[in-house]
Amino acid sequence: MEITINQQALKLAENASLSDALAAFGAQPPFAAAVNGDFVPKAQYGARQLRPGDRVDVVQPVAGG
């Protein structure tokens, strides 16, 4: 299946989880992830199944003042 992660197309196995997508994308902690605009708790990354066309956003904290 194909999803979009941070506006980049990514092909994954049909039964891929959010955790699989983050690993394939190469996300490096710390980060938060959202699927179709809904943030997913880190403890649920492995259980959150993705569907074709899902949009995943990976957001990293930014320090500043």
Side-chain angles (χ1 to χ4, degrees), residues 25-65:
F25 181 69
Q28 297 292 319
F31 62 82
V35 177
N36 300 324
D38 295 323
F39 278 96
V40 178
K42 186 175 182 178
Q44 296 180 9
Y45 288 176
R48 177 63 167 84
Q49 296 297 305
L50 297 175
R51 296 181 181 167
D54 275 349
R55 181 178 49 86
V56 176
D57 295 302
V58 179
V59 181
Q60 295 188 309
V62 177

